[in-house]
Coordinates of all heavy atoms in Angstrom, one line a residue:
M139 N -74.5 -32.3 35.9 CA -75.9 -31.8 35.7 C -76.8 -33.0 35.5 O -76.6 -33.9 34.6 CB -75.9 -30.9 34.4 CG -75.2 -29.6 34.6 SD -76.1 -28.5 35.7 CE -77.0 -27.6 34.4
P140 N -77.9 -33.1 36.3 CA -78.8 -34.3 36.1 C -79.8 -34.1 35.0 O -81.0 -33.9 35.2 CB -79.5 -34.3 37.5 CG -79.5 -32.9 38.0 CD -78.3 -32.3 37.4
I141 N -79.3 -34.1 33.7 CA -80.1 -34.0 32.6 C -80.5 -35.4 32.1 O -79.6 -36.2 31.8 CB -79.5 -33.1 31.5 CG1 -79.2 -31.7 32.0 CG2 -80.3 -33.1 30.2 CD1 -78.4 -30.9 31.0
F142 N -81.8 -35.7 32.0 CA -82.2 -37.0 31.5 C -83.0 -36.8 30.2 O -83.6 -35.8 30.0 CB -83.1 -37.7 32.6 CG -82.3 -37.9 33.9 CD1 -82.5 -37.1 35.0 CD2 -81.4 -39.0 33.9 CE1 -81.8 -37.3 36.1 CE2 -80.7 -39.2 35.1 CZ -80.9 -38.4 36.2
E143 N -83.0 -37.9 29.4 CA -83.8 -37.9 28.2 C -85.1 -38.7 28.5 O -85.1 -39.7 29.1 CB -83.1 -38.5 27.1 CG -82.1 -37.5 26.4 CD -81.5 -38.2 25.2 OE1 -80.4 -38.8 25.4 OE2 -82.0 -38.1 24.1
Y144 N -86.2 -38.1 28.0 CA -87.5 -38.8 28.2 C -88.2 -38.9 26.9 O -88.0 -38.1 26.0 CB -88.4 -37.9 29.2 CG -87.9 -37.9 30.6 CD1 -87.0 -36.9 31.0 CD2 -88.2 -38.9 31.5 CE1 -86.5 -36.8 32.3 CE2 -87.8 -38.8 32.8 CZ -86.9 -37.8 33.2 OH -86.4 -37.8 34.5
A145 N -89.1 -39.9 26.8 CA -90.0 -40.0 25.7 C -91.4 -40.0 26.3 O -91.7 -40.7 27.3 CB -89.8 -41.3 25.0
C146 N -92.3 -39.1 25.8 CA -93.6 -39.0 26.3 C -94.5 -40.1 25.8 O -94.5 -40.5 24.7 CB -94.2 -37.6 25.8 SG -95.9 -37.4 26.3
K147 N -95.1 -40.8 26.8 CA -96.0 -41.9 26.5 C -97.3 -41.4 25.8 O -98.0 -42.1 25.1 CB -96.4 -42.7 27.7 CG -95.3 -43.5 28.3 CD -95.7 -44.3 29.5 CE -94.6 -45.1 30.1 NZ -95.0 -45.7 31.4
G148 N -97.6 -40.1 26.0 CA -98.8 -39.6 25.4 C -98.7 -39.2 23.9 O -99.5 -39.7 23.1
C149 N -97.6 -38.5 23.6 CA -97.5 -38.0 22.2 C -96.2 -38.5 21.5 O -96.0 -38.2 20.4 CB -97.6 -36.5 22.2 SG -96.2 -35.7 22.9
G150 N -95.4 -39.2 22.3 CA -94.2 -39.8 21.7 C -93.0 -38.8 21.5 O -92.0 -39.2 21.0
R151 N -93.2 -37.6 22.0 CA -92.2 -36.6 21.9 C -91.0 -37.0 22.8 O -91.2 -37.4 23.9 CB -92.7 -35.2 22.3 CG -91.6 -34.2 22.2 CD -92.2 -32.8 22.4 NE -91.1 -31.8 22.5 CZ -91.1 -30.6 22.0 NH1 -92.2 -30.2 21.4 NH2 -90.1 -29.8 22.1
E152 N -89.8 -36.8 22.3 CA -88.6 -37.1 23.1 C -88.0 -35.7 23.4 O -87.9 -34.8 22.6 CB -87.6 -37.9 22.3 CG -88.1 -39.3 22.1 CD -87.1 -40.2 21.4 OE1 -85.9 -39.8 21.2 OE2 -87.4 -41.3 21.0
F153 N -87.6 -35.6 24.7 CA -87.0 -34.3 25.1 C -86.1 -34.5 26.3 O -86.1 -35.6 26.9 CB -88.1 -33.3 25.5 CG -89.0 -33.8 26.7 CD1 -88.7 -33.4 28.0 CD2 -90.0 -34.7 26.5 CE1 -89.4 -33.9 29.1 CE2 -90.8 -35.2 27.6 CZ -90.5 -34.7 28.8
E154 N -85.2 -33.6 26.5 CA -84.3 -33.6 27.7 C -84.9 -32.7 28.8 O -85.4 -31.7 28.5 CB -82.9 -33.1 27.2 CG -82.2 -34.0 26.3 CD -80.9 -33.4 25.9 OE1 -80.6 -32.3 26.2 OE2 -80.1 -34.2 25.3
A155 N -84.7 -33.2 30.0 CA -85.2 -32.4 31.1 C -84.1 -32.4 32.2 O -83.5 -33.4 32.5 CB -86.5 -32.9 31.6
L156 N -83.9 -31.2 32.7 CA -83.0 -31.1 33.9 C -83.8 -31.4 35.1 O -84.8 -30.7 35.4 CB -82.5 -29.6 34.0 CG -81.6 -29.3 35.2 CD1 -80.3 -30.1 35.1 CD2 -81.3 -27.8 35.2
V157 N -83.5 -32.5 35.8 CA -84.3 -33.0 37.0 C -83.5 -32.7 38.2 O -82.4 -33.3 38.5 CB -84.6 -34.5 36.8 CG1 -85.4 -34.9 38.0 CG2 -85.3 -34.7 35.5
L158 N -84.0 -31.8 39.0 CA -83.5 -31.5 40.3 C -84.4 -31.9 41.4 O -85.6 -32.0 41.2 CB -83.2 -29.9 40.4 CG -82.2 -29.3 39.4 CD1 -82.3 -27.8 39.4 CD2 -80.8 -29.8 39.7
P159 N -83.9 -32.2 42.6 CA -84.8 -32.6 43.7 C -85.9 -31.5 44.0 O -87.0 -31.8 44.4 CB -83.9 -32.7 44.9 CG -82.6 -33.0 44.3 CD -82.5 -32.2 43.0
T160 N -85.6 -30.3 43.7 CA -86.5 -29.2 43.9 C -87.6 -29.0 42.8 O -88.6 -28.5 43.1 CB -85.8 -27.9 44.1 OG1 -84.8 -27.7 43.0 CG2 -85.0 -27.8 45.4
T161 N -87.2 -29.4 41.6 CA -88.2 -29.2 40.5 C -89.2 -30.4 40.4 O -90.2 -30.2 39.8 CB -87.4 -29.1 39.2 OG1 -86.6 -30.2 38.9 CG2 -86.6 -27.8 39.1
G162 N -88.9 -31.5 41.0 CA -89.8 -32.6 40.9 C -89.8 -33.3 39.5 O -88.9 -33.1 38.8
A163 N -90.8 -34.1 39.3 CA -90.9 -34.9 38.0 C -91.1 -34.0 36.9 O -91.9 -33.0 36.9 CB -92.0 -35.9 38.1
P164 N -90.4 -34.3 35.7 CA -90.6 -33.4 34.5 C -92.0 -33.8 33.8 O -92.5 -34.8 34.1 CB -89.5 -33.8 33.7 CG -89.1 -35.2 34.0 CD -89.5 -35.3 35.5
S165 N -92.4 -32.9 33.0 CA -93.6 -33.1 32.2 C -93.3 -32.8 30.7 O -92.4 -32.1 30.4 CB -94.8 -32.3 32.7 OG -94.5 -30.9 32.6
C166 N -94.1 -33.4 29.8 CA -93.9 -33.3 28.4 C -94.1 -31.8 28.0 O -95.1 -31.2 28.4 CB -94.9 -34.2 27.7 SG -94.8 -33.9 25.9
P167 N -93.1 -31.2 27.3 CA -93.3 -29.8 26.9 C -94.4 -29.6 25.8 O -94.9 -28.5 25.6 CB -91.9 -29.5 26.3 CG -91.3 -30.7 25.9 CD -91.8 -31.8 26.8
A168 N -94.8 -30.7 25.2 CA -95.8 -30.6 24.1 C -97.2 -30.8 24.7 O -98.1 -30.0 24.4 CB -95.6 -31.7 23.0
C169 N -97.4 -31.8 25.5 CA -98.8 -32.1 26.0 C -99.0 -32.0 27.5 O -100.0 -32.3 28.0 CB -99.3 -33.4 25.4 SG -98.5 -34.9 26.1
K170 N -97.8 -31.7 28.1 CA -97.8 -31.5 29.6 C -98.1 -32.8 30.4 O -98.3 -32.8 31.6 CB -98.9 -30.5 30.1 CG -98.7 -29.2 29.4 CD -97.4 -28.5 29.7 CE -97.3 -27.2 28.9 NZ -95.9 -26.7 28.9
S171 N -98.0 -34.0 29.7 CA -98.2 -35.2 30.3 C -97.0 -35.6 31.2 O -95.8 -35.2 30.9 CB -98.4 -36.3 29.3 OG -98.4 -37.6 29.9
T172 N -97.2 -36.2 32.3 CA -96.2 -36.7 33.2 C -95.9 -38.2 33.0 O -95.2 -38.8 33.8 CB -96.4 -36.3 34.7 OG1 -97.7 -36.8 35.0 CG2 -96.4 -34.8 34.9
E173 N -96.6 -38.8 32.1 CA -96.4 -40.2 31.8 C -95.3 -40.3 30.8 O -95.4 -40.2 29.6 CB -97.7 -40.8 31.1 CG -98.9 -40.8 32.1 CD -98.7 -41.9 33.1 OE1 -98.4 -43.1 32.8 OE2 -98.8 -41.6 34.3
L174 N -94.1 -40.5 31.4 CA -92.9 -40.5 30.6 C -92.0 -41.7 30.7 O -92.0 -42.4 31.7 CB -92.0 -39.3 31.0 CG -92.7 -37.9 31.0 CD1 -91.8 -36.9 31.8 CD2 -93.1 -37.4 29.6
D175 N -91.4 -42.1 29.6 CA -90.4 -43.1 29.7 C -89.0 -42.5 29.8 O -88.7 -41.6 29.0 CB -90.4 -44.0 28.4 CG -91.5 -45.1 28.5 OD1 -91.7 -45.6 29.6 OD2 -92.0 -45.5 27.4
K176 N -88.2 -42.9 30.7 CA -86.9 -42.4 30.8 C -86.0 -43.1 29.8 O -86.0 -44.4 29.8 CB -86.4 -42.6 32.3 CG -85.2 -41.7 32.6 CD -84.9 -42.0 34.1 CE -84.0 -41.0 34.7 NZ -83.7 -41.3 36.1
L177 N -85.3 -42.4 29.0 CA -84.5 -43.1 28.0 C -83.1 -43.3 28.6 O -82.5 -42.4 29.3 CB -84.4 -42.2 26.7 CG -85.7 -41.9 26.0 CD1 -85.5 -41.0 24.8 CD2 -86.4 -43.2 25.6
I178 N -82.5 -44.4 28.3 CA -81.2 -44.7 28.9 C -80.1 -44.6 27.8 O -79.0 -45.1 28.1 CB -81.2 -46.1 29.5 CG1 -81.6 -47.2 28.5 CG2 -82.1 -46.2 30.7 CD1 -81.2 -48.6 28.8
S179 N -80.3 -44.0 26.7 CA -79.3 -44.0 25.6 C -78.1 -43.2 26.1 O -77.0 -43.6 25.8 CB -79.9 -43.3 24.4 OG -80.4 -42.0 24.7
R180 N -78.3 -42.1 26.8 CA -77.1 -41.3 27.2 C -76.2 -42.0 28.2 O -75.0 -42.1 27.9 CB -77.6 -39.9 27.7 CG -76.5 -39.0 27.9 CD -77.0 -37.6 27.8 NE -77.4 -37.3 26.5 CZ -77.6 -36.0 26.0 NH1 -77.4 -35.0 26.8 NH2 -78.0 -35.8 24.8
P181 N -76.7 -42.5 29.3 CA -75.8 -43.3 30.2 C -75.1 -44.4 29.5 O -74.0 -44.7 29.9 CB -76.8 -43.8 31.3 CG -77.9 -42.8 31.3 CD -78.1 -42.4 29.8
A182 N -75.8 -45.1 28.6 CA -75.2 -46.2 27.9 C -73.9 -45.8 27.1 O -72.9 -46.4 27.1 CB -76.2 -46.9 26.9
I183 N -74.1 -44.6 26.4 CA -72.9 -44.1 25.6 C -71.8 -43.7 26.6 O -70.6 -44.0 26.4 CB -73.4 -42.9 24.8 CG1 -74.3 -43.3 23.7 CG2 -72.2 -42.1 24.3 CD1 -75.1 -42.2 23.1
K184 N -72.2 -43.2 27.7 CA -71.2 -42.7 28.7 C -70.4 -43.9 29.3 O -69.2 -43.9 29.4 CB -71.9 -42.0 29.9 CG -71.0 -41.2 30.7 CD -71.8 -40.3 31.7 CE -70.8 -39.6 32.6 NZ -71.6 -38.9 33.6
S185 N -71.1 -45.0 29.6 CA -70.5 -46.2 30.2 C -69.6 -46.8 29.1 O -68.6 -47.4 29.4 CB -71.5 -47.2 30.7 OG -72.2 -47.8 29.6
E186 N -70.0 -46.8 27.8 CA -69.1 -47.3 26.8 C -67.8 -46.5 26.7 O -66.7 -47.1 26.6 CB -69.9 -47.1 25.4 CG -69.1 -47.7 24.2 CD -69.8 -49.0 23.9 OE1 -70.4 -49.7 24.7 OE2 -69.6 -49.4 22.7
T187 N -67.9 -45.2 26.9 CA -66.7 -44.4 26.9 C -65.8 -44.7 28.1 O -64.6 -44.9 28.0 CB -67.0 -42.9 27.0 OG1 -68.0 -42.6 25.9 CG2 -65.8 -42.0 26.8
T188 N -66.4 -44.9 29.2 CA -65.7 -45.2 30.5 C -65.0 -46.6 30.3 O -63.9 -46.8 30.7 CB -66.7 -45.3 31.7 OG1 -67.5 -44.1 31.7 CG2 -66.0 -45.4 33.0
H189 N -65.8 -47.5 29.7 CA -65.2 -48.8 29.5 C -64.0 -48.7 28.5 O -63.0 -49.4 28.8 CB -66.3 -49.7 28.8 CG -65.8 -51.1 28.5 ND1 -65.6 -52.0 29.5 CD2 -65.5 -51.7 27.3 CE1 -65.1 -53.2 28.9 NE2 -65.1 -53.0 27.6
G190 N -64.1 -47.9 27.5 CA -63.0 -47.7 26.6 C -61.7 -47.2 27.3 O -60.6 -47.6 27.1
L191 N -61.9 -46.2 28.2 CA -60.9 -45.6 28.9 C -60.2 -46.6 29.9 O -59.0 -46.7 30.0 CB -61.4 -44.4 29.7 CG -61.6 -43.1 28.9 CD1 -62.3 -42.1 29.8 CD2 -60.4 -42.6 28.3
A192 N -61.1 -47.4 30.5 CA -60.6 -48.5 31.4 C -59.7 -49.5 30.6 O -58.7 -49.9 31.1 CB -61.8 -49.2 32.1
M193 N -60.1 -49.8 29.4 CA -59.4 -50.8 28.6 C -58.0 -50.2 28.3 O -57.0 -50.8 28.3 CB -60.1 -51.1 27.3 CG -61.4 -52.0 27.5 SD -60.9 -53.6 28.2 CE -60.2 -54.4 26.8
K194 N -58.0 -48.9 27.9 CA -56.8 -48.2 27.5 C -55.8 -48.2 28.7 O -54.7 -48.4 28.6 CB -57.2 -46.7 27.2 CG -56.3 -46.1 26.1 CD -56.8 -44.8 25.7 CE -55.9 -44.1 24.7 NZ -56.5 -42.8 24.3
A195 N -56.4 -47.9 29.9 CA -55.6 -47.8 31.1 C -55.0 -49.2 31.4 O -53.8 -49.3 31.8 CB -56.4 -47.4 32.3
A196 N -55.8 -50.3 31.2 CA -55.4 -51.6 31.5 C -54.2 -52.0 30.5 O -53.3 -52.6 30.9 CB -56.5 -52.6 31.3
R197 N -54.4 -51.6 29.3 CA -53.4 -51.9 28.3 C -52.1 -51.2 28.6 O -51.0 -51.8 28.5 CB -53.9 -51.5 26.9 CG -54.6 -52.6 26.1 CD -54.6 -52.4 24.7 NE -55.4 -51.2 24.3 CZ -56.7 -51.2 24.1 NH1 -57.3 -52.3 24.2 NH2 -57.3 -50.1 23.7
K198 N -52.2 -50.0 29.1 CA -51.0 -49.2 29.4 C -50.3 -49.8 30.6 O -49.1 -50.0 30.6 CB -51.4 -47.8 29.8 CG -50.3 -46.8 29.8 CD -50.9 -45.4 30.1 CE -49.7 -44.4 30.2 NZ -50.2 -43.0 30.6
R199 N -51.1 -50.3 31.6 CA -50.5 -51.0 32.7 C -49.8 -52.3 32.3 O -48.7 -52.6 32.8 CB -51.7 -51.3 33.7 CG -51.2 -51.6 35.1 CD -52.3 -51.7 36.1 NE -53.3 -52.7 35.6 CZ -54.6 -52.5 35.5 NH1 -55.1 -51.3 35.8 NH2 -55.4 -53.4 35.1
D200 N -50.4 -53.0 31.4 CA -49.8 -54.3 31.0 C -48.5 -54.0 30.3 O -47.6 -54.7 30.4 CB -50.8 -55.0 30.0 CG -52.0 -55.6 30.7 OD1 -51.9 -55.6 31.9 OD2 -52.9 -56.0 30.0
K201 N -48.5 -52.9 29.5 CA -47.3 -52.5 28.8 C -46.1 -52.2 29.7 O -45.0 -52.7 29.6 CB -47.6 -51.3 27.9 CG -46.6 -51.2 26.7 CD -47.1 -50.0 25.8 CE -46.0 -49.7 24.8 NZ -46.4 -48.5 24.0
I202 N -46.4 -51.5 30.8 CA -45.5 -51.1 31.8 C -45.0 -52.4 32.5 O -43.8 -52.6 32.7 CB -46.0 -50.1 32.8 CG1 -46.2 -48.7 32.1 CG2 -45.1 -49.9 34.0 CD1 -47.2 -47.8 32.9
A203 N -45.9 -53.2 32.9 CA -45.6 -54.5 33.6 C -44.7 -55.3 32.7 O -43.7 -56.0 33.1 CB -46.9 -55.2 34.0
G204 N -45.0 -55.3 31.4 CA -44.3 -56.1 30.4 C -42.8 -55.7 30.3 O -41.9 -56.5 30.3
S205 N -42.6 -54.3 30.2 CA -41.3 -53.8 30.1 C -40.5 -54.0 31.4 O -39.3 -54.2 31.3 CB -41.3 -52.3 29.7 OG -41.9 -51.6 30.8
E206 N -41.2 -54.0 32.5 CA -40.5 -54.2 33.8 C -40.0 -55.7 33.9 O -38.9 -55.9 34.3 CB -41.4 -53.9 34.9 CG -40.8 -53.3 36.1 CD -41.7 -52.4 36.9 OE1 -41.8 -51.2 36.5 OE2 -42.3 -52.9 37.8
K207 N -40.8 -56.5 33.4 CA -40.4 -58.0 33.3 C -39.2 -58.2 32.4 O -38.3 -58.9 32.8 CB -41.6 -58.8 32.8 CG -41.8 -60.1 33.5 CD -43.1 -60.7 33.2 CE -43.5 -61.7 34.2 NZ -44.9 -62.1 34.1
A208 N -39.2 -57.5 31.3 CA -38.1 -57.6 30.3 C -36.9 -57.1 31.0 O -35.8 -57.7 30.8 CB -38.5 -56.8 29.1
R209 N -36.9 -56.0 31.8 CA -35.8 -55.5 32.4 C -35.2 -56.4 33.5 O -34.0 -56.7 33.6 CB -36.1 -54.1 33.0 CG -34.9 -53.3 33.5 CD -35.3 -52.0 34.0 NE -36.4 -52.0 35.0 CZ -36.2 -52.3 36.3 NH1 -35.0 -52.5 36.8 NH2 -37.2 -52.4 37.2
E210 N -36.1 -57.0 34.2 CA -35.7 -58.0 35.2 C -35.0 -59.2 34.6 O -34.0 -59.7 35.1 CB -37.0 -58.5 36.0 CG -37.3 -57.6 37.1 CD -38.7 -58.1 37.8 OE1 -39.0 -59.3 37.8 OE2 -39.4 -57.2 38.2
Q211 N -35.6 -59.6 33.5 CA -35.0 -60.8 32.7 C -33.6 -60.4 32.3 O -32.7 -61.2 32.4 CB -35.9 -61.1 31.5 CG -35.5 -62.2 30.7 CD -35.5 -63.6 31.4 OE1 -36.3 -63.7 32.4 NE2 -34.7 -64.6 31.0
R212 N -33.4 -59.2 31.8 CA -32.1 -58.7 31.3 C -31.1 -58.7 32.4 O -30.0 -59.1 32.2 CB -32.3 -57.3 30.6 CG -31.3 -57.1 29.6 CD -31.7 -56.0 28.6 NE -32.2 -54.8 29.2 CZ -33.4 -54.3 29.0 NH1 -34.2 -54.8 28.1 NH2 -33.8 -53.2 29.7
E213 N -31.5 -58.2 33.6 CA -30.6 -58.1 34.7 C -30.3 -59.5 35.2 O -29.1 -59.8 35.6 CB -31.3 -57.3 35.9 CG -31.0 -55.9 35.7 CD -31.7 -55.0 36.8 OE1 -32.1 -55.6 37.8 OE2 -32.0 -53.8 36.5
Y214 N -31.2 -60.4 35.2 CA -31.0 -61.8 35.6 C -29.9 -62.4 34.7 O -29.0 -63.1 35.1 CB -32.3 -62.6 35.5 CG -32.2 -64.0 35.8 CD1 -32.2 -64.5 37.1 CD2 -32.0 -65.0 34.7 CE1 -32.1 -65.9 37.3 CE2 -31.9 -66.3 35.0 CZ -31.9 -66.8 36.3 OH -31.8 -68.1 36.5
E215 N -30.0 -62.2 33.4 CA -29.1 -62.7 32.4 C -27.7 -62.1 32.6 O -26.7 -62.8 32.5 CB -29.6 -62.5 31.0 CG -30.7 -63.4 30.6 CD -31.4 -63.0 29.4 OE1 -31.0 -62.1 28.7 OE2 -32.4 -63.7 29.1
L216 N -27.6 -60.8 32.9 CA -26.4 -60.1 33.1 C -25.6 -60.7 34.3 O -24.4 -60.9 34.3 CB -26.6 -58.6 33.4 CG -26.8 -57.8 32.1 CD1 -27.2 -56.4 32.5 CD2 -25.5 -57.7 31.4
H217 N -26.4 -61.0 35.4 CA -25.8 -61.6 36.6 C -25.3 -63.0 36.5 O -24.6 -63.5 37.3 CB -26.7 -61.4 37.8 CG -26.9 -60.0 38.3 ND1 -25.9 -59.3 38.8 CD2 -28.0 -59.1 38.2 CE1 -26.3 -58.1 39.1 NE2 -27.5 -58.0 38.7
H218 N -25.8 -63.6 35.5 CA -25.5 -65.0 35.3 C -24.6 -65.2 34.1 O -24.5 -66.3 33.5 CB -26.8 -65.9 35.1 CG -27.5 -66.0 36.4 ND1 -28.3 -65.0 36.9 CD2 -27.5 -67.0 37.3 CE1 -28.8 -65.4 38.1 NE2 -28.3 -66.6 38.3
N219 N -23.9 -64.1 33.7 CA -22.9 -64.2 32.6 C -21.5 -64.7 33.0 O -20.8 -65.3 32.2 CB -22.8 -62.9 31.9 CG -23.8 -62.8 30.7 OD1 -24.4 -63.7 30.4 ND2 -23.8 -61.6 30.2
D220 N -21.2 -64.6 34.3 CA -19.9 -65.0 34.8 C -19.8 -66.3 35.4 O -20.2 -67.3 35.0 CB -19.4 -64.0 35.8 CG -20.4 -63.7 36.9 OD1 -21.5 -64.5 36.9 OD2 -20.2 -62.9 37.7
Ligands
LIG364 ZN1 -96.4 -35.4 25.2

């Protein structure tokens, strides 16, 4: 859903607006001004979460790679015991 947060330059009111190609530019619900600042707080939070998930995935991958390396090392040692 393309919901964006805006701050009205006219009265300072902050509001969320659903912006669709068919609805056009949003206007302030208080003073009907279309002079708005688009707030980027929401996408910033979202990218932070995405970054966190990416880090988690990377750590998981490292852990798997690490255990695989350990297993290879163990097999190498087993084959060189005789
Ligand atoms: Zn306003």
Side-chain angles (χ1 to χ4, degrees):
M139 292 286 266
I141 297 172
F142 298 102
E143 277 184 272
Y144 293 91
C146 176
K147 286 182 184 175
C149 67
R151 179 175 173 141
E152 292 183 9
F153 62 97
E154 290 180 348
L156 176 66
V157 181
L158 299 168
T160 48
T161 57
S165 58
C166 175
C169 70
K170 307 295 177 196
S171 172
T172 52
E173 293 288 306
L174 309 167
D175 275 330
K176 200 177 193 179
L177 302 179
I178 56 158
S179 57
R180 190 153 294 195
I183 290 164
K184 198 174 176 184
S185 69
E186 186 100 337
T187 309
T188 310
H189 179 72
L191 286 172
M193 289 297 288
K194 209 171 175 181
R197 269 201 296 273
K198 196 175 176 185
R199 197 174 55 231
D200 286 351
K201 202 174 170 186
I202 291 164
S205 65
E206 214 149 277
K207 215 167 205 169
R209 189 174 54 80
E210 274 174 31
Q211 180 67 22
R212 207 157 49 234
E213 273 176 24
Y214 175 85
E215 282 166 10
L216 277 170
H217 288 296
H218 288 78
N219 266 351
D220 48 9

